Amino acid sequence: MAKEGKMEFCTACRKPTAYHLQQTWEKERICNKEYTFRFTTAFCTECRKKMHIPGLIDRNNQERDEQYRRMERLISVEEIQKLLNLCLMGPDALSAALGFDRQAIGCYLQGQMPSREHSDIMRRALAQKEHQQAAF
């Protein structure tokens, strides 16, 4: 992603301008439930309007995903990766061991949102593996 202070094209000014990054809050509706997410937004230093900076959409999608998982108490990608490391198996094997579709864990690692049921199963498995590791 572009870094603050660099020049990017401002569609309002119609020329390359400097910009600054700022945290903003936006409401979004997901499955008929309203959430408030914190995003990183770029603003033109000349006209002060929002700018579209390369990489910023990807960053905000990742921020939304992480915040949504926390709000809904769903397992994070990092926790799934930790479970894989503790189990010493690949995503397909872990999916099968947990009773999921063979490709489920791989999809979750790439950003697909797990169901509440799958999230709870993975969290219990992670807690069990951490408990077993602590016992040694």
Side-chain angles (χ1 to χ4, degrees):
M1 188 181 84
K3 293 185 180 175
E4 189 166 349
K6 285 190 144 191
M7 304 288 277
E8 289 293 337
F9 187 79
C10 175
T11 56
C13 294
R14 307 299 302 160
K15 64 181 181 179
T17 62
Y19 63 89
H20 69 278
L21 299 175
Q22 182 177 322
Q23 298 300 307
T24 59
W25 296 89
E26 295 181 29
K27 292 183 179 188
E28 290 187 15
R29 187 167 286 286
I30 301 173
C31 296
N32 293 323
K33 187 174 177 184
E34 191 169 275
Y35 297 88
T36 302
F37 295 108
R38 179 186 47 83
F39 293 115
T40 302
T41 307
F43 291 94
C44 174
T45 56
E46 291 187 28
C47 70
R48 308 231 186 280
K49 295 199 176 175
K50 282 185 181 182
M51 290 179 66
H52 301 286
I53 305 302
L56 199 53
I57 291 172
D58 291 338
R59 178 176 174 173
N60 284 326
N61 283 338
Q62 183 178 358
E63 289 174 352
R64 178 189 301 105
D65 179 76
E66 291 168 358
Q67 292 171 64
Y68 178 81
R69 286 175 188 254
R70 277 194 305 275
M71 286 182 234
E72 289 296 319
R73 295 183 179 94
L74 296 173
I75 193 165
S76 69
V77 172
E78 292 79 18
E79 290 171 308
I80 296 170
Q81 189 62 55
K82 185 175 184 180
L83 177 60
L84 276 170
N85 294 340
L86 289 172
C87 290
L88 301 173
M89 54 176 72
D92 292 352
L94 181 59
S95 291
L98 294 174
F100 302 167
D101 176 81
R102 182 177 66 81
Q103 297 174 338
I105 299 288
C107 292
Y108 298 152
L109 289 170
Q110 292 176 352
Q112 184 176 330
M113 206 60 63
S115 67
R116 163 71 54 214
E117 179 185 9
H118 280 196
S119 179
D120 291 346
I121 290 169
M122 289 184 284
R123 278 243 170 89
R124 283 193 299 272
L126 178 58
Q128 183 179 24
K129 282 293 186 183
E130 288 177 328
H131 178 73
Q132 288 172 349
Q133 189 179 33
F136 287 107

